[in-house]
Amino acid sequence: PIVLWRDLLGNARCLADKCPHRSAPLSLGKINGENGTLECIYHGWQLDGASGMVMHIPALLDGKGIPSNARSRTYPVCEQ
């Protein structure tokens, strides 16, 4: 399964419909209106549609970085 949405610039984005944290369906999440990321409904992880990388983890302790493997698979999108 995949999830499709538009970022704040209107670009169509496509990711695997699976949060890298707990495998919750990202299609149940929401688009963050401040930065256009896709926010997982379960723990609020925010994913960038272009890279698939997690951009924000609400429960991350200060001084800790987001793990480099915290990402979702991206798929190319071609609008016609």
Side-chain angles (χ1 to χ4, degrees), residues 3-79:
V3 59
L4 296 160
W5 81 100
R6 290 191 184 277
D7 63 20
L8 293 182
L9 299 176
N11 298 312
R13 300 298 184 190
C14 182
L15 293 178
D17 190 18
K18 180 178 166 184
C19 180
H21 179 227
R22 296 284 184 175
S23 299
L26 291 172
S27 57
L28 297 178
K30 63 181 181 179
I31 300 166
N32 183 303
E34 294 180 11
N35 57 21
T37 57
L38 186 61
E39 185 175 311
C40 178
I41 193 171
Y42 194 40
H43 284 118
W45 286 31
Q46 295 176 15
L47 290 92
D48 174 66
S51 66
M53 296 185 68
V54 173
M55 306 305 291
H56 177 69
I57 301 174
L60 194 65
L61 299 173
D62 289 340
K64 298 286 185 180
I66 296 173
S68 60
N69 64 342
R71 62 184 323 135
S72 182
R73 181 174 178 181
T74 60
Y75 294 93
V77 178
C78 178
E79 295 187 80

